[in-house]
Amino acid sequence: MYDNIERELKLLVDEKAYNELLRSYDFHNPIIQTNTYFDTDNQDVKKQHGAVRIRTIQGKKIFTLKIRKDEYTHYEFEKEINTENINEINDPEILNWFDQYQIPKNLNPIASFTTLRNVYEFENGELCLDKTVYNHKIDYEIEYEYTSDHDGIHFFNSILEKYGLKWIKNCPSKIARAMND
């Protein structure tokens, strides 16, 4: 992420392609992350083209607010917090983000799932392989996240073509997939 901008290209793959990719790069230290997403009963966050989540990694809790800028770019604001209860957050910076993007404060958990993430770093971005377990299904996703400005689409497709894959547009987000579970 650079300057609160997250640019990522995402593609769902089958288990076979996931395993081939996993063997093709020297991934180190896979992490398990639990993601809990929040919204109002009226889906006010979704209506803002946003997402609010608390991600837990090895006991560390990270608050994230994402607001969609375009097809594969988001404004992303993150901060470590000390609670899993969204309604207990009283950090002035986070509350300012809520005000700035008209995010209501009466949020409820709407989805929770666990992802095993493997990351491989390139000069201008990160390749992430995610195996996500929802309530009743498992899916596999490859993601290329920019860390600096460059032609990421061409770069990502050059990786994918070795596996007979091509990125055309982003697959639905994990939260969207969780809500369809």
Side-chain angles (χ1 to χ4, degrees):
M1 181 175 66
Y2 48 104
D3 296 329
N4 291 346
I5 299 289
E6 178 192 57
R7 296 184 73 197
E8 60 186 10
L9 309 172
K10 304 185 307 183
L11 181 70
L12 283 173
V13 296
D14 62 21
E15 185 176 10
K16 180 179 182 249
Y18 170 87
N19 286 323
E20 287 176 15
L21 284 153
L22 192 58
R23 287 189 299 268
S24 297
Y25 291 91
D26 191 14
F27 291 102
H28 294 290
N29 303 320
I31 57 170
I32 296 175
Q33 53 192 31
T34 301
N35 301 286
T36 302
Y37 283 81
F38 300 87
D39 205 338
T40 64
D41 293 340
N42 296 327
Q43 297 184 322
D44 293 316
V45 177
K46 182 179 179 181
K47 289 174 187 171
Q48 294 282 355
H49 302 283
V52 172
R53 107 179 144 221
I54 295 176
R55 173 176 282 166
T56 304
I57 303 171
Q58 297 173 338
K60 182 173 155 182
K61 296 163 201 60
I62 302 163
F63 169 87
T64 304
L65 168 64
K66 289 186 182 189
I67 301 292
R68 184 177 175 179
K69 182 177 178 200
D70 61 40
E71 180 184 357
Y72 55 90
T73 308
H74 292 86
Y75 296 107
E76 182 177 76
F77 305 93
E78 287 189 330
K79 189 164 191 181
E80 189 171 343
I81 57 175
N82 58 10
T83 182
E84 292 180 349
N85 184 335
I86 194 81
N87 298 309
E88 291 178 1
I89 295 175
N90 57 11
D91 181 282
E93 187 174 24
I94 293 173
L95 295 176
N96 182 53
W97 297 334
F98 276 44
D99 290 341
Q100 182 178 353
Y101 290 98
Q102 296 86 43
I103 303 297
K105 295 176 184 70
N106 58 330
L107 301 176
N108 304 306
I110 57 167
S112 187
F113 48 85
T114 301
T115 298
L116 173 65
R117 171 163 280 191
N118 288 276
V119 178
Y120 182 83
E121 294 184 19
F122 288 98
E123 180 181 353
N124 294 309
E126 294 180 337
L127 188 66
C128 302
L129 278 181
D130 291 345
K131 176 181 180 180
T132 302
V133 179
Y134 305 93
N135 287 334
H136 300 97
K137 68 178 178 185
I138 296 173
D139 71 24
Y140 304 91
E141 177 185 84
I142 181 170
E143 175 183 306
Y144 181 71
E145 186 169 333
Y146 295 61
T147 54
S148 63
D149 203 21
H150 67 290
D151 186 355
I153 294 172
H154 176 76
F155 183 79
F156 189 44
N157 274 324
S158 72
I159 292 169
L160 295 174
E161 70 183 336
K162 299 169 192 163
Y163 307 93
L165 302 169
K166 182 175 175 110
W167 181 89
I168 297 171
K169 69 177 192 168
N170 277 347
C171 62
S173 65
K174 287 181 183 75
I175 183 61
R177 298 190 318 258
M179 298 303 291
N180 287 330
D181 181 26

